């Protein structure tokens, strides 16, 4: 803490959001009130600027709709009628309802549901794991995002951080693959611009002409879900034209012959048919990529959002080893550098407390689990939601709402606001916002560790998630030492402070400086895999995965601290193109002719800030972007209101007729609160709960719909 002027106190913090930028904050406090939150100008990523989502973050803390006290439901489920109660009453109610449920059905009738509403070490993805594992509840498998990419990445190069986004500044050829960086990795973009100014070529591979695509040198429009075919087609050209790095391949990779055989199945003509990309472009991309050293691939999470998404990430991740791009600073690929941080998941999640034989239910199948479509013994009788908003963000939203309406389901929800999900709760518990709590923020987008220190007192009776679970543990009578640790003690145990990357980093130093870079080398010089050093079983980049070759395939569901064994799951050791289920249907084979993709909104962070007038004005209402050739025959004009529908559900939006999408493709954004939309629904009423081939991730991009004017 330092005193800025005589009245303003400046406290260091960091952004809580599930965003690769993890900006460093300065909280400005006057008389105990948060007056402004600014970006730290000294932080190499943040550089003083926040994004449109967090522009008025100080005011967000004082939003009059904030949930400030525990509440109980007093009207019908979903009516939004609640009455204030005390924490004592809330906890006593939970204890008595759970005690009854456990007596009749056992502990597994209780299920948590959590994702990344907050990204902190104490309050984020794993905040409740230790508690629920201790309770013996059903284990919830959290695979909304990244689990397919992460599994693919680990299979290919191991849990390595890979390339640093800051290293893009010295790249000569940058492929932004399935990422709308200007929306979703804004603070990575200046490094791309720096490279561009120094002569680098910027290529964007995206089905949609996004803001990012418009700023690139070359936009390659790809059919969603076909990225593996493109990557394999590039390999076909690179290998057949002998553009690969023989020495690197020989020394630092495994399974070249198998990869070569696979790539031979993907000549450019076939790849063109699959991807919709002209043959000449496939040839040019492959030749330029392999022919330019210091070439980088910035992978977006969107690549995984299809049935074959896992193998697409594997195929893309093989490319820099084939061309030897890893030899050079500014060369390689970035997926998620989070693997550099030395978490101690065993402490954070306590997987050792999971009673043997406990079942696992995937969170994206919440609707089926609640409605009985998934036969369950015991059934789910209580759902505990925190850090997530499944009614908006999970696929198959219609079925989820049906399940949440069950009178016999005892639902508890810890939230900042009464969201579309929270309104179904029986008990609501108020959570703190970032300026009100302590946490360490690490990130999946760069290599700095941050300490977020509380700057103001929590309003009302809000508590951080970590304190919520302490209170619940005491209420349930748990006496383990874990529940007596304070936040600082917990932080000390959540990381391996002696790991080599933590050289010089201590809690005390973080208190002083706010953020520190891991000891992983300087961005302009770093070459983490110049001489192999991959973190796979072989130590090589595995074109043929030894993890997959073992028969019983283990999915590293690291986020929950346990590994899900999927006995008998067979995964091809070599990446392949696995066609999508819906969007690759031949025309006429489906009643729903248009493929809908639903990437991230510019002005909201998933659903967060979508209830703030400033961001609502910036984002505008729910739109769909539709090609004139699809709009015309349906009498849809610019600004018409339309109904988008399929057999799973529907939502309404305003049409933007534009050639930013191709014929047969529409784009909308996920994140608008369903309840604030015209139809009371949003895009996830139409998406399916099918999984990606790896890591049980969602397949939001594989969604066939039709559209009509309303
Ligand atoms: N402004 C903003 N930023 C965010 C978020 C937010 O909600 N708003 N959310 C954060 C989170 S949780 C995440 S995971 C990241 C995600 O950030 P990104 O990785 O950028 O993912 P998306 O925004 O889902 O999609 C990016 C692009 O991929 C395209 N796309 C869709 N399907 C495919 C495909 O099959 N292949 C290819 N090549 N492209 C495809 C879409 O058209 C879109 O333009 O963003 C984070 N940052
Ligand atoms: N169609 C479609 N669906 C998608 C995607 C897509 O691309 N297309 N993307 C998927 C992806 S990548 C992701 S990551 C998920 C995101 O899904 P979610 O993680 O569910 O999304 P958020 O809106 O960020 O956060 C959920 C809630 O957490 C609450 N919250 C925030 N901080 C705290 C806290 O400290 N304590 C408590 N108790 N609650 C808090 C917020 O108020 C918010 O209501 O959505 C997925 N859904
Ligand atoms: S949401 Fe992302 S870009 Fe915006 S302030 Fe937070 S970390 Fe930075
Ligand atoms: Mo995500």
């Amino acid at each position: 803490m330092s005193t800025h002027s005589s009245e303003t106190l400046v406290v260091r913090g960091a952004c809580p959001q599930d965003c690769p930028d993890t900006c460093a904050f300065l909280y400005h406090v006057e008389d105990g009130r948060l007056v402004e939150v600014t970006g730290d100008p000294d932080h190499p990523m943040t550089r003083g600027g926040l994004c449109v989502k967090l522009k008025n973050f100080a005011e967000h803390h004082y939003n009059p709709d904030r949930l400030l006290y525990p509440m109980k439901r007093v009207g019908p489920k979903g009516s939004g009628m609640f009455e204030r109660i005390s924490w004592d009453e809330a906890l006593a109610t939970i204890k008595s309802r759970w005690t009854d449920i456990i007596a009749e059905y056992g502990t597994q009738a209780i299920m948590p549901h959590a994702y990344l509403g907050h990204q902190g070490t104490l309050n984020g993805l794993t905040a409740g794991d230790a508690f629920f594992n201790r309770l013996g509840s059903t284990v919830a498998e959290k695979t909304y995002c990244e689990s397919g990419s992460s599994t693919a990445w680990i299979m290919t190069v191991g849990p390595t951080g890979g390339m640093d986004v800051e290293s893009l500044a010295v790249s000569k050829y940058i492929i932004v693959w399935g990422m709308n960086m200007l929306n979703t990795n804004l603070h990575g973009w200046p490094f791309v611009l720096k490279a561009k100014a120094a002569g680098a070529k910027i290529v964007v591979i995206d089905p949609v002409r996004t803001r990012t695509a418009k700023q690139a040198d070359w936009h390659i429009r790809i059919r969603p879900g076909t990225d593996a075919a493109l990557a394999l087609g590039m390999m076909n050209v690179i290998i057949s034209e002998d553009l690969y790095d023989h020495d690197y391949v020989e020394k630092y990779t495994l399974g070249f012959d198998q990869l070569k055989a696979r790539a031979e199945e993907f000549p450019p003509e076939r790849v063109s048919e699959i991807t919709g990309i002209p043959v000449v472009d496939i040839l040019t991309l492959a030749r330029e990529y392999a022919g330019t050293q210091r070439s980088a691939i910035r992978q977006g999470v969107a690549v995984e959002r299809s049935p074959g998404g896992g193998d697409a990430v594997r195929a893309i991740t093989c490319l820099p080893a084939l061309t030897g791009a890893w030899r050079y600073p500014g060369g390689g690929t970035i997926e998620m550098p989070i693997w550099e941080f030395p978490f101690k998941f065993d402490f954070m999640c306590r997987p050792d407390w999971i009673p043997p034989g406990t079942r696992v239910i995937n969170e994206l199948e919440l609707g089926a689990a609640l409605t009985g479509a998934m036969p369950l013994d015991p059934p789910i009788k209580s759902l505990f939601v925190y850090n997530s908003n499944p009614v908006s963000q999970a696929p198959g939203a219609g079925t989820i709402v049906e399940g949440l309406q069950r009178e016999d389901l005892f639902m508890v929800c810890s939230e900042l606001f009464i969201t579309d999900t929270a309104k179904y709760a029986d008990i609501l518990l108020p959570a703190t916002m970032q300026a009100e709590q302590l946490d360490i923020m690490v990130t999946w987008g760069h290599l700095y560790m941050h300490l977020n220190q509380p700057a103001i007192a929590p309003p009302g009776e809000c508590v951080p998630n970590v304190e919520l679970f302490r209170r619940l543990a005491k209420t349930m009578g748990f006496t383990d030492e874990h529940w007596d640790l304070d936040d600082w003690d917990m932080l000390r145990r959540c990381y391996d402070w002696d790991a080599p990357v933590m050289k010089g980093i201590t809690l005390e130093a973080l208190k002083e400086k706010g953020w520190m870079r891991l000891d992983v080398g300087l961005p302009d010089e770093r070459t983490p895999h110049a001489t192999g050093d991959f973190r796979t079983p072989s130590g090589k980049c595995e074109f043929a995965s030894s993890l997959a070759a073992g028969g019983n395939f283990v999915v590293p569901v690291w986020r929950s601290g346990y590994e899900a064994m999927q006995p008998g799951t067979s995964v091809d050791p070599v990446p392949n193109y696995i066609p999508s289920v819906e969007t690759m249907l031949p025309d006429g084979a489906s009643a729903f002719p248009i493929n809908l993709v639903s990437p991230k909104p510019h002005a909201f962070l998933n659903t967060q800030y979508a209830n703030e007038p400033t961001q609502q004005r910036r984002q505008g209402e729910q739109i769909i972007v539709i090609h004139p050739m699809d709009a015309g025959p349906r009498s849809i004009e610019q600004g018409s209101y339309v109904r988008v529908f399929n057999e799973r559900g529907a939502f309404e939006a305003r049409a933007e007729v534009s050639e930013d999408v191709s014929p047969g493709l529409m784009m909308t954004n996920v994140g608008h609160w369903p309840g604030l939309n015209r139809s009371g629904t949003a895009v996830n009423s139409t998406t399916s709960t099918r999984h990606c081939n790896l890591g049980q991730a969602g397949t939001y991009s594989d969604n066939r719909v039709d559209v009509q004017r309303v």
Side-chain angles (χ1 to χ4, degrees), residues 149-276:
S149 317
S150 295
T151 306
W153 179 260
I154 290 171
M155 288 171 73
T156 313
V157 291
T160 164
M163 198 182 155
D164 182 352
V165 72
E166 288 181 65
S167 302
L168 290 174
V170 296
S171 302
K172 290 292 173 206
Y173 198 86
I174 300 175
I175 302 178
V176 179
W177 201 317
M179 185 179 228
N180 187 1
M181 279 184 86
L182 279 170
N183 273 6
T184 60
N185 185 199
L186 180 68
H187 296 85
W189 190 248
F191 302 104
V192 176
L193 290 182
K194 195 172 168 196
K196 190 172 154 115
K201 181 164 180 175
I202 316 301
V203 185
V204 167
I205 301 176
D206 196 305
V208 180
R209 187 163 64 193
T210 60
R211 299 169 68 221
T212 310
K214 284 173 190 162
Q215 293 213 13
D217 297 301
W218 187 16
H219 172 212
I220 298 177
R221 280 186 200 244
I222 189 169
R223 237 174 239 145
T226 65
D227 303 276
L230 177 59
L232 287 162
M234 288 170 71
M235 293 181 202
N236 177 293
V237 178
I238 292 168
I239 296 170
S240 65
E241 297 189 2
D242 198 13
L243 301 173
Y244 65 99
D245 183 333
H246 290 248
D247 182 60
Y248 195 93
V249 165
E250 183 164 331
K251 286 189 182 133
Y252 309 125
T253 73
L254 188 74
F256 175 73
D257 291 340
Q258 285 155 277
L259 186 71
K260 181 168 180 271
R262 180 55 44 79
E264 278 163 9
E265 296 168 31
F266 291 87
E269 297 70 26
R270 179 175 175 220
V271 172
S272 175
E273 267 167 38
I274 296 170
T275 60

Side-chain angles (χ1 to χ4, degrees), residues 18 116 145 387 389 393 414-415 465 598 600 607-608 684:
D18 179 8
L116 268 171
C145 171
N387 276 353
N389 187 355
Q393 296 304 100
S414 160
E415 253 298 346
N465 292 337
S598 48
K600 303 298 183 184
T607 63
Q608 297 186 70
N684 276 321

